């Protein structure tokens, strides 16, 4: 049973947008909108009319043949596309051949910044990084040479 309450303008707008974007077939709708739209269609005659109109449009689109690609359309789109400026002299031409992108200063500045940061980090590293390595070596040496478990760590025949 369908109530005679009118469809709100917000629901009508959203439902029309859904049909315009995804068509009238519910399996094409986003999952989060399916229950909402189905509920509107079941309970409002205006929503059912909107869906019927969208279904008719979808059927017409399904029956109509697709137009082949038009060479004229492709050429007109490419003609309207912005063109890259050609370098006016020979020096820029060589640079253009080596770096065909717009600006070379962004990648150069990024590489320079990374290099400077690496040099600064390498030359000003805290001393504890080097001390940690020495401490680990001392601990390993002590465990290796003074431990009672030294002979138990290796099965017989592995140490010659």
């Amino acid at each position: 049973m369908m109530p005679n309450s009118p469809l709100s303008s917000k629901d009508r707008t959203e439902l029309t947008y859904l049909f315009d974007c995804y068509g009238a077939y519910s399996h094409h709708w986003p999952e989060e909108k399916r229950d909402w739209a189905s509920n509107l269609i079941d309970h409002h005659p205006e929503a059912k009319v909107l869906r019927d109109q969208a279904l008719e449009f979808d059927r017409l689109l399904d029956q109509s043949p697709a137009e082949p690609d038009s060479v004229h359309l492709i050429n007109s789109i490419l003609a309207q596309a912005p063109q890259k400026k050609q370098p006016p002299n020979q020096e820029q031409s060589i640079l253009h051949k080596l770096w065909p992108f717009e600006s070379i200063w962004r990648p150069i500045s990024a590489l320079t910044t990374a290099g400077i940061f690496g040099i600064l980090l390498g030359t000003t590293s805290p001393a504890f990084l080097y001390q940690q390595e020495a401490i680990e070596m001392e601990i390993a040496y002590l465990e290796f040479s003074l431990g009672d478990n030294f002979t138990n760590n290796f099965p017989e025949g592995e140490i010659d």
Side-chain angles (χ1 to χ4, degrees), residues 50-94:
L50 289 173
R51 181 169 189 240
D52 290 342
Q53 291 172 350
L55 272 171
E56 182 63 29
F57 185 67
D58 284 352
R59 286 187 194 117
L60 288 172
L61 287 176
D62 290 341
Q63 291 174 357
S64 65
E67 290 290 322
D69 293 338
S70 168
V71 174
H72 174 69
L73 178 62
I74 293 171
N75 289 336
S76 117
I77 291 171
L78 290 176
Q80 293 175 5
Q83 300 294 321
K84 190 168 182 175
K85 296 177 185 175
Q86 296 297 327
N89 57 29
Q90 187 65 20
E91 290 178 20
Q92 290 179 346
S93 177
I94 293 171

Side-chain angles (χ1 to χ4, degrees), residues 122-141:
T123 58
T124 60
S125 292
F128 76 87
L129 291 177
Y130 302 111
Q131 290 174 355
Q132 181 179 3
E133 190 175 300
I135 291 171
E136 288 175 357
M137 294 283 288
E138 289 175 8
I139 292 172
Y141 177 75

